[in-house]
Amino acid sequence: MRFWLVGLLLVGLCVGSLAQQRIAVGDKLNVVVSDSKELTGEYVVSTDGTILMPFIGAVEVLGLTTDAAAAKIRKILADQRVLLDPRVSVILSGEPPKVASVTGAVQKPGDYPVTTTSTLEDLLQQAQPTPNADLAAVRLTLPDGTVQVVDYRAFQAAGRTEGNPVVPAGSKVYVAIRPAVQEVTVLGAVLKPGIVKHTESMTLADALKAAGGTKADADLTRIKVQKADGRTLEINLTQVGGNAPITPGDQVFVPMLAASSYVMVRGAVGNPGLVPYKEKMTVTEALYGAGKPLESARLDRVEVKRIESGREQTIKVNVASVLRGQASDVELKAGDTVIVPFPPKAISVGEAINYAWILLSLILILRKL
């Protein structure tokens, strides 16, 4: 009887392992990172079992399931502070996509990973509808083209009992803007996305200022204005200025710069993250673009990580000497990662006493042996 149970257990384990295919060398992986179009794409598993991703370098995925690979990429992105709350999906090439898109009056439009149980509420919580979102008429387009208009506001009012459909992979969710006579919506790469009050003779520059101004990674050459009358305008703010008139009900969207125009700054700086890349940008310029180094930063041990020909190389930079005029600054390339170390943690008096006591105890024990 006991051997029979063991046999059943082994069969169950084998079936479970076969149900989830393991990643092998040469596999093509479709990686979807809902908060980053730059990281989303197809990657081929190299002979050393890794895939090479922007900003985080080589990630070893050989032998993992797609779910485990997604969890590993998600952890690396969070640990390295590339994204605060990344949502990652990994599928083998040839499998159907496991994402659904959310657009319209949301703060974080884009593709979101879904499972067989993902609901409209799950997606809207991630995409974060704007205050002027019309939640009474959320448009859900299923993969077969069927359209459902969902009163999500009624679902919320009903105590979460109905009106929350499952959203299968390949679906599209569109959240319309609630009509507002004296309001303008500003979304994208601005400091305070959302609704701003329309003022008389408001211009594009006025609308951006009311939304807190643009972020450092804003692409000012491709600002889109969805007019209340249905027209869409694309404005290059660096050429025509901010005098374009804005009328009540307009929606302004400020896109982010392309991934190739970034460097990543991590570590002891005021605002770690992506910094827009400019031609001939130096390490010190990148550091001050990331909110300048902290007082405790080890500027004598700054490192630049660079991927060239599929290999990562490390360039050490003594920024302290550069600032004193004793060394030359180092020129960066788009896609580089600059790491500013924190100082080593100081040992407190209590910790020093504990370490000394442990060491003394070990000496006494060894003498008795």
Side-chain angles (χ1 to χ4, degrees), residues 42-223:
E42 185 178 77
Y43 299 88
V44 179
V45 181
S46 64
T47 54
D48 62 357
T50 65
I51 57 174
L52 192 62
M53 300 186 66
F55 310 133
I56 59 175
V59 180
E60 187 173 353
V61 295
L62 184 65
L64 300 179
T65 64
T66 52
D67 289 344
K72 185 172 186 177
I73 294 170
R74 185 186 308 118
K75 184 176 186 303
I76 293 173
L77 290 171
D79 289 348
Q80 296 189 8
R81 303 185 70 178
V82 176
L83 294 170
L84 294 179
D85 184 23
R87 292 173 292 280
V88 182
S89 174
V90 176
I91 58 177
L92 287 168
S93 181
E95 292 184 0
K98 298 179 182 178
V99 297
S101 66
V102 183
T103 58
V106 292
Q107 297 186 45
K108 296 181 177 180
D111 293 333
Y112 289 86
V114 293
T115 65
T116 55
T117 59
S118 295
T119 64
L120 180 63
E121 181 184 27
D122 297 329
L123 292 175
L124 292 182
Q125 284 182 346
Q126 296 178 73
Q128 300 178 16
T130 59
N132 68 334
D134 187 2
L135 297 180
V138 178
R139 187 180 180 89
L140 171 60
T141 304
L142 299 175
D144 62 0
T146 304
V147 177
Q148 299 179 13
V149 178
V150 181
D151 188 349
Y152 182 72
R153 185 179 59 183
F155 158 70
Q156 291 178 308
R160 306 181 185 279
T161 57
E162 58 183 11
N164 183 32
V166 171
V167 180
S171 299
K172 297 179 180 180
V173 177
Y174 176 75
V175 183
I177 299 175
R178 187 177 65 251
V181 178
Q182 296 299 326
E183 294 177 345
V184 174
T185 304
V186 184
L187 303 174
V190 292
L191 295 177
K192 298 178 181 178
I195 297 174
V196 300
K197 184 178 180 180
H198 183 269
T199 58
E200 187 176 356
S201 302
M202 174 178 270
T203 64
L204 176 58
D206 296 331
L208 296 177
K209 182 178 180 182
T214 56
K215 294 182 178 179
D217 56 357
D219 187 351
L220 302 182
T221 66
R222 297 185 299 113
I223 296 178

